Amino acid sequence: MTRAHPLLVRCGFWLLAMGLVLALWQAVVMIAHVPPYIVPTPVETIAELIRHAGQSGALLWQTFSETIAGYLLGAAIGIVLAVAMSEIRLFGRLAYPALVTSQAIPIVGIAAPLVIVFGFGMTPKLIIVAWIVFFPVVVNVMDGLARVDPDQINLARLLGGSAWRTFLIVRLPACLGPLFSGLKIGASYAVTGAVIGEWTASSKMGLGTYLLSANAQMNTVGVYGAMMLMTLIGVGSFSALVGLEYMATPWTHRSTAPRWLTRLRGAPRSDHKE
Amino acid sequence: MPHAPKLAICNVRHAFGANRVLDDVSLDIAPGEFVCILGASGCGKSTLFNAVSGLLRIDSGAITLDGTDIMGKPGYVGYMLQKDLLLPWRTALDNIVLGAALTRGVTREDRAQAADLARRYGLGEYLDHYPGAMSGGMRQRIALMRTIAAGRELMLLDEPFGALDSQTRLAMQKWLLEIWSGLKRTVLFVTHDIDEAFFLADRVVVMLPRPGRIARILHVDLPRPRDIACMASPAFMALKAEALSLLYGGPDPSASMSGAA
């Protein structure tokens, strides 16, 4: 009775969905005889990316590293802020309106002053990505912390739990689900942040800068290639998070603790029915 | 009473605003005794429970455990609710050792002892199960194991089987008695189920609402170990009839109160 692992099944559907989109794109362009300088086919675009694999790889790496670094920064700030805002009530009340306001400023509007302050290096890009990513994380984690059952907290008090241990053992794990929701939303927006960062401030060529210059040179295949790679970063980080969430929350899809976990902790295992 | 009381509740009064929930409640519980508090909702049984647990500071009166004042001091007694409050991300075993995790960190020995305890009472197959994968009855058993493992000599149980179906509830009651007789802990058990109260307890404290007060304390002289069959015995029926008339009024020659309905 071999059944496909549920994660594999999900992966399969993802690949199938993306394959269908690409096939549709290919079919429309071919049937309507759209010239390649207006819209190239995906086959042409991918072939072009492979032909210039070295350059594609370098561009991908540049934008990917901006995205991931800014993302990690934003996620970390988001978690710390959420905890601080939930635990220190006055701070939370003061900071919440400020956070909401921060998201009301158009991100392009933030980019320019950041360049004036930090110059053309990595810093403004990191800040832009983090700016976008931290918000869904803060909101979701705060929500998770607020929703812990008060009876659960009472129980921890009655068991003699210190505030710190109660936080670590009872409250923090309860936010894991909401945290991952926030992280997944952030992952799909993070690339946009990196690209906007490159458009306003770049000393190094990334996918965003490349896209602008390809566009200026009427290099349509190049534009589509850059777009495809940006999408790949977004979809890739989202999928990585889905996998990470799956690993980090075994109780949501398993009835028993994974064997490696019980072994790692030296916990006695269940008896088995004969 | 042969011993000094384990728990002494003296002249406890409490009000939420104008609502007097506890009016001069006094009760002594001997070490190793099993006492049920029986009453309809609103009789103050849960308030009394929260007062003894230390979660609620009462307006006046005294509550002592082995002579020590425990008013407003959580952490002296074990505690279990109708909600199992198991942490979904911890296995059954990790939930049982939650007390140790919250106070000093879990050792290998804690885990081994918890596993022994669980195996002794028929939960050996469920040690590494997550609560989400267990039935309501199984979850309540784990919650009770968690209460026992916390090591408090007095355990407060507030309608722990209230959410279970009647078949499971009966099995749980028998199981609880088996554990109680093995462990020699003192139990204060709150319920609104008359059969449950008399089946389990040495004494049943019948409480009445508005204001919450003790109507009478009934001694249950049924032999132990008790079997389900004892619930059909004349002695059981007589106790039940007395409780019914106390709770719902009706013909009771010795009733000192007016027949409130």
Side-chain angles (χ1 to χ4, degrees):
Chain A
M1 42 156 272
T2 21
R3 281 186 73 186
H5 194 276
L7 261 194
L8 274 181
V9 174
R10 264 207 262 181
C11 270
F13 276 104
W14 272 74
L15 290 175
L16 185 66
M18 284 190 272
L20 283 174
V21 170
L22 291 180
L24 187 70
W25 171 7
Q26 181 84 25
V28 168
V29 172
M30 284 174 75
I31 291 165
H33 295 290
V34 184
Y37 56 87
I38 302 290
V39 181
T41 64
V43 171
E44 282 169 320
T45 311
I46 292 166
E48 183 72 7
L49 284 176
I50 293 169
R51 210 171 299 135
H52 304 288
Q55 191 201 15
S56 312
L59 292 173
L60 182 66
W61 173 248
Q62 175 63 25
T63 303
F64 174 72
S65 52
E66 291 158 9
T67 308
I68 204 80
Y71 184 82
L72 292 177
L73 181 70
I77 291 174
I79 294 169
V80 171
L81 262 182
V83 170
M85 287 170 67
S86 306
E87 298 304 299
I88 311 165
R89 194 162 295 171
L90 181 67
F91 175 63
R93 290 199 173 168
L94 283 172
Y96 203 80
L99 290 196
V100 175
T101 312
S102 80
Q103 298 304 300
I105 309 172
I107 198 71
V108 191
I110 298 162
L114 282 179
V115 175
I116 297 171
V117 177
F118 295 104
F120 281 69
M122 189 72 156
T123 319
K125 288 170 218 160
L126 287 192
I127 295 177
I128 292 169
V129 175
W131 194 287
I132 295 178
V133 168
F134 89 98
F135 189 69
V137 174
V138 172
V139 173
N140 277 285
V141 173
M142 280 184 73
D143 235 33
L145 283 172
R147 277 190 202 170
V148 177
D149 186 345
D151 281 335
Q152 196 88 64
I153 306 291
N154 278 342
L155 175 74
R157 279 176 65 199
L158 287 171
L159 287 169
S162 62
W164 172 239
R165 280 183 185 270
T166 303
F167 178 75
L168 275 188
I169 292 171
V170 178
R171 304 189 60 206
L172 205 56
C175 305
L176 225 53
L179 170 66
F180 273 105
S181 304
L183 287 176
K184 281 189 278 190
I185 298 171
S188 38
Y189 291 146
V191 202
T192 311
V195 169
I196 289 173
E198 287 180 12
W199 283 358
T200 40
S202 13
S203 45
K204 267 189 181 164
M205 190 73 123
L207 287 171
T209 24
Y210 175 79
L211 187 131
L212 281 189
S213 73
N215 198 30
Q217 292 160 17
M218 304 281 271
N219 173 8
T220 315
V221 185
V223 169
Y224 274 80
M227 208 173 70
M228 232 183 222
L229 292 181
M230 289 170 189
T231 314
L232 188 68
I233 297 176
V235 172
S237 22
F238 191 94
S239 324
L241 279 167
V242 171
L244 197 63
E245 180 177 20
Y246 191 88
M247 303 265 287
T249 56
W251 61 90
T252 56
H253 52 88
R254 294 181 60 104
S255 56
T256 59
R259 198 173 281 263
W260 60 267
L261 193 65
T262 40
R263 194 171 294 162
L264 184 76
R265 301 167 58 234
R269 286 186 56 79
S270 297
D271 306 334
H272 288 287
K273 238 186 197 163
E274 294 306 318
Chain B
M1 233 168 276
H3 304 279
K6 181 93 214 151
L7 178 75
I9 299 169
C10 296
N11 307 107
V12 165
R13 291 169 203 269
H14 192 73
F16 292 116
N19 181 18
R20 283 189 297 154
V21 269
L22 289 176
D23 189 41
D24 200 16
V25 171
S26 294
L27 176 67
D28 281 357
I29 298 181
E33 196 180 13
F34 198 128
V35 173
C36 277
I37 295 184
L38 176 66
S41 51
C43 73
K45 54 193 197 304
S46 289
T47 306
L48 185 62
F49 182 90
N50 283 332
V52 175
S53 73
L55 286 175
L56 177 79
R57 257 190 178 286
I58 44 163
D59 295 342
S60 74
I63 299 173
T64 58
L65 183 73
D66 292 321
T68 316
D69 174 32
I70 56 164
M71 259 209 302
K73 296 175 191 161
Y76 282 90
V77 301
Y79 168 95
M80 178 180 170
L81 298 180
Q82 184 171 329
K83 281 195 266 186
D84 56 66
L85 297 175
L86 298 179
L87 297 171
W89 50 86
R90 293 176 83 91
T91 61
L93 184 72
D94 285 339
N95 269 293
I96 295 175
V97 297
L98 185 65
L102 282 167
T103 47
R104 53 182 166 78
V106 183
T107 62
R108 255 162 212 272
E109 206 190 331
D110 290 324
R111 288 209 183 85
Q113 278 176 2
D116 280 349
L117 186 72
R119 289 194 173 111
R120 198 177 331 143
Y121 295 109
L123 298 172
E125 287 164 42
Y126 297 92
L127 296 180
D128 53 14
H129 276 56
Y130 288 118
M134 292 189 282
S135 66
M138 224 24 106
R139 293 168 63 113
Q140 278 307 61
R141 284 174 198 239
I142 301 296
L144 184 64
M145 290 288 127
R146 175 189 63 203
T147 313
I148 292 167
R152 312 283 191 270
E153 284 172 46
L154 173 66
M155 300 203 298
L156 303 180
L157 311 180
D158 188 1
E159 303 197 17
F161 310 142
L164 305 174
D165 63 85
S166 57
Q167 313 270 308
T168 312
R169 195 179 316 157
L170 266 177
M172 294 291 285
Q173 289 161 359
K174 286 202 70 176
W175 186 73
L176 175 62
L177 283 183
E178 186 192 326
I179 291 171
W180 170 73
S181 62
L183 291 173
K184 304 286 173 222
R185 302 270 178 97
T186 311
V187 175
L188 183 60
F189 189 108
V190 171
T191 183
H192 60 253
D193 180 329
I194 298 176
D195 285 328
E196 179 169 74
F198 290 112
F199 181 59
L200 295 173
D202 294 319
R203 284 189 298 156
V204 172
V205 179
V206 181
M207 287 188 73
L208 288 172
R210 283 177 296 274
R213 64 200 188 277
I214 294 176
R216 193 171 305 162
I217 299 176
L218 303 171
H219 288 261
V220 187
D221 291 323
L222 298 166
R224 294 188 188 270
R226 290 180 192 160
D227 199 81
I228 311 258
C230 86
M231 293 170 96
S233 68
F236 195 95
M237 288 302 174
L239 284 165
K240 201 172 156 177
E242 193 171 353
L244 277 169
S245 72
L246 281 168
L247 288 169
Y248 304 107
D252 181 9
S254 59
S256 55
M257 44 150 239
S258 56

